[in-house]
Amino acid sequence: TGDLDFKVRGDGTLLAAQHLQVPSKQLILLVTAWDPQTLGTWEAMVRLLVAEKSQHSGHKVRVSQSHQSANGLRRQKRDWVIPPINVPENSRGPFPQQLVRIRSDKDKEIHIRYSITGVGADQPPMEVFNIDPVSGRMYVTRPMDREERASYHLRAHAVDMNGNKVENPIDLYIYVIDMNDNRPEFINQVYNGSVDEGSKPGTYVMTVTANDADDGTTANGMVRYRIVTQTPQSPSQNMFTINSETGDIVTVAAGLDREKVQQYIVIVQATDMEGNLNYGLSNTATAIITVTDVNDNPPEFTTSTYSGEVPENRVEVVVANLTVMDRDQPHSPNWNAIYRIISGDPSGHFTVRTDPVTNEGMVTVVKAVDYEMNRAFMLTVMVSNQAPLASGIQMSFQSTAGVTISVTDVNEAPYFPTNHKLIRLEEGVPTGTVLTTFSAVDPDRFMQQAVRYSKLSDPANWLNINATNGQITTAAVLDRESDYIKNNVYEATFLAADNGENPPASGTGTLQIYLIDINDNAPELLPKEAQICEKPNLNVINITAADADIDPNVGPFVFELPSVPSAVRKNWTITRLNGDYAQLSLRIMYLEAGVYDVPIIVTDSGNPPLYNTSVIKVKVCPCDENGDCTTIGAVAAAGLGTGAIIAILICIIILLTMVLLFVVWMKRREKERHTKQLLIDPEDDVRDNILKYDEEGGGEEDQDYDLSQLQQPETMDHVLNKTPGVRRVDERPIGAEPQYPIRPVIPHPGDIGDFINEGLRAADNDPTAPPYDSLLVFDYEGSGSTAGSVSSLNSSSSGDQDYDYLNDWGPRFKKLADMYGGGEED
């Protein structure tokens, strides 16, 4: 109900929540009922009326109910209302067991039949309840289970024998009374919780929960918790307690120490009947409580002093390992060590790094140490954890240790205190001049060592250095204008080496010599050649000078003509334009064309000044109206007169005529050669006139010759594709073949013999020509040739020629050597 002065029980009983004064007329309340399973809701309007005083309760309140339906409110008869029926679960019978009797006031007048409907009657579960249709007695047919169904809502109907409704249906509410037939059941059999070590009493740890299927509003379902056992029982057997109603486990004693006990196993019991061990049902579960680590143990060095050694000038070297002990959880922020050097290293030469596996501190050199500056270091190192210490925990005196590091001496290289040393001096100082002392310093003050000097780089070989004291002297004249000078600076590199034993060390130094310019270079006239018109005032020659020196030993320049020879100043004049340029022009009105050497004296502005007499070749030539030298004028300017020019032209014509006559003569000679058919000019190369016959006579009797030398290829492609000038001696030269008249099908033996005899005579008269060059090549051979055998021909030599050298030509010329050399035939 929405009125706070009243409350409604689960069975529908309306009670006054407090002492109240009911109005004299009536009080109307709205009561809402809802089903938690189907989520259905119902509303009823209750009207409270004030009755007369009774001897028991003073006022009697008469209640009337109005049920809301689709048709509005309707009244029910009060005598047809059946109060709720309570049935205990797990009843042993006997069954059927009568619950209530329903009776209508009209059963005295007519015969009435009763029936019930609803879940448990005509709906599943079926026939849990039934009713005697005549007497109206309702029975339960079997034991009830509240955990299966806690209540039933049935409707009783009353009809006459014809089935007509006699009374409105009545609601029957049957409630199953709970019995303690279910044990408490824990949600989990094992619960895991944790608590920090050192926690104060009353610190929450975890919650365990058990559910009882019995009615929680009765003692049957009221569960209470208690701790049965605790393992281990250290430092106390009662380290934890549990809230009997909520199941919250909290600490009850101090002394939790992870380093001693890391885990507790607690057996928790849940009992219904409000924890009555005599009547209640119980169950147990296991609670595992892990003691979590806090940083309550500071790290401590295993020893108070450590030592190490490091060579000088070495970095990233571990010189000492610092070991610590920490009882907190390994590899956790409470255990991880952080090292810090708090004294003994003001320059920051060392750092301490943590080994992530062993938690050791590695003292490492990060800045090179110098034995000559510090022979030893006394460091004070403090160690702490990555996580801060727990509240109330102080650092231990063992969290600080001393580290002694000794530095060992090594041989260090000498060095030049002033590297890239710069000196200034004038160029041209004489050889042997002492320039400076370029000495090095040996850092090893505690080693008896000597430093020796030598040149490492001296591009122009201008310098010498004293091997003992590093004194620099000149070995040649220093010239600022040399190609070895860059921006007036000459650079040389020197080496300083000691005589150490393990091993010797050396250092380099660079000496820069800035050379101051002196006036040691005379100016040179530019340009060296020029041309000008033979008539003055048409054009002039601009002249200047080049000087290898620099300011102030260069311009302004002075240009002047010498007085000797006198013709120079008579024909020429110089006009000054500015400090660097002047103009050379003709003084006279006309100068004959030709090339003239004009000497000019150029003087610079140095102190003292230098001068130079330079000659400029001037070509004087006739010019056109634009002032440009003409072609004929250019020739004339080269120094040739008119007669010489005519003679040159005549020579050119004669040369062309001779070339033309030579060409005509060559063509005529070629024509004459074409008219010849078989005869060969003894002056010509016989290879040019070898005739090729496509047919050959009868077979040869004598086959001692190498006929491959007589074969002539049908195609000339392989010859024409060769590189010009490269040719075999047995190949026909490339060129136009002479055209011979068509010969008869059967050649005349006399013509062939004459031709071969002519070839033999040519070979005899030319000892340098290979004999096979003049042989006739036959492409066809057969029986019955009218031609005679080549081997049957006799040489026409008169015997004056010595052919003994053929014996040196090899096996291929053995037969010829026998024929011509006078040897015996095989």
Side-chain angles (χ1 to χ4, degrees), residues 122-199:
D122 60 346
Q123 298 178 19
M126 306 280 290
E127 297 181 354
V128 177
F129 304 98
N130 59 22
I131 189 170
D132 189 333
V134 177
S135 64
R137 291 184 176 87
M138 188 176 71
Y139 300 92
V140 59
T141 62
R142 60 190 181 191
M144 309 292 288
D145 186 358
R146 192 199 69 85
E147 286 71 41
E148 180 180 350
R149 191 174 183 90
S151 63
Y152 296 87
H153 181 202
L154 304 177
R155 282 201 165 188
H157 304 272
V159 297
D160 57 13
M161 299 302 292
N162 296 324
N164 297 320
K165 182 174 65 174
V166 178
E167 297 281 357
N168 290 328
I170 184 174
D171 292 320
L172 298 177
Y173 292 97
I174 300 159
Y175 295 100
V176 181
I177 301 175
D178 182 50
M179 304 294 290
N180 189 19
D181 58 345
N182 291 278
R183 292 180 178 274
E185 295 290 341
F186 283 97
I187 297 177
N188 301 312
Q189 282 301 310
V190 177
Y191 291 84
N192 291 285
S194 62
V195 62
D196 291 340
E197 63 174 328
S199 297

Side-chain angles (χ1 to χ4, degrees), residues 45 127 222 249 293 300 317 326 392 531 549 581 597 634 790:
M45 187 170 59
E127 297 181 354
M222 294 182 180
I249 299 177
D293 183 50
E300 298 178 350
V317 177
D326 195 323
Q531 69 180 19
D549 295 322
Y581 291 91
D597 291 337
V790 177

Side-chain angles (χ1 to χ4, degrees), residues 514-632:
Y514 185 90
L515 295 177
I516 302 172
D517 184 47
I518 63 174
N519 194 19
D520 57 346
N521 291 276
E524 292 287 338
L525 183 68
L526 294 176
K528 299 296 184 182
E529 296 180 356
Q531 69 180 19
I532 193 170
C533 295
E534 58 188 4
K535 294 182 180 181
N537 299 327
L538 292 180
N539 53 14
V540 295
I541 301 172
N542 291 326
I543 58 175
T544 184
D547 197 327
D549 295 322
I550 60 174
D551 191 68
N553 297 319
V554 287
F557 299 104
V558 177
F559 303 91
E560 57 182 346
L561 296 172
S563 57
V564 179
S566 59
V568 175
R569 290 193 175 185
K570 178 182 177 181
N571 297 335
W572 305 92
T573 182
I574 292 179
T575 304
R576 179 183 177 88
L577 294 179
N578 54 35
D580 294 331
Y581 291 91
Q583 288 182 344
L584 176 65
S585 61
L586 287 173
R587 179 186 291 272
I588 60 178
M589 295 303 296
Y590 175 80
L591 184 63
E592 184 180 359
V595 178
Y596 297 86
D597 291 337
V598 181
I600 299 177
I601 302 174
V602 185
T603 307
D604 60 21
S605 298
N607 186 19
L610 295 180
Y611 69 91
N612 184 24
T613 300
S614 300
V615 176
I616 178 172
K617 288 184 177 297
V618 181
K619 294 181 180 180
V620 180
C621 61
C623 298
D624 55 17
E625 62 276 5
N626 297 325
D628 297 328
C629 191
T630 61
T631 304
I632 299 177

Side-chain angles (χ1 to χ4, degrees), residues 255-328:
L256 289 173
D257 190 353
R258 189 204 66 86
E259 286 72 40
K260 295 181 179 178
V261 179
Q262 299 183 4
Q263 191 178 79
Y264 289 91
I265 297 177
V266 176
I267 304 301
V268 180
Q269 184 182 56
T271 307
D272 56 14
M273 297 300 293
E274 297 183 291
N276 190 322
L277 299 178
N278 295 325
Y279 305 103
L281 301 177
S282 301
N283 217 334
T284 60
T286 301
I288 300 176
I289 302 174
T290 301
V291 181
T292 56
D293 183 50
V294 298
N295 194 13
D296 57 347
N297 293 281
E300 298 178 350
F301 286 105
T302 57
T303 182
S304 59
T305 58
Y306 298 87
S307 62
E309 184 179 82
V310 59
E312 63 175 334
N313 302 323
R314 293 282 300 277
V315 294
E316 296 301 326
V317 177
V318 177
V319 298
N321 289 325
L322 313 181
T323 57
V324 295
M325 180 185 65
D326 195 323
R327 293 188 297 272
D328 291 322

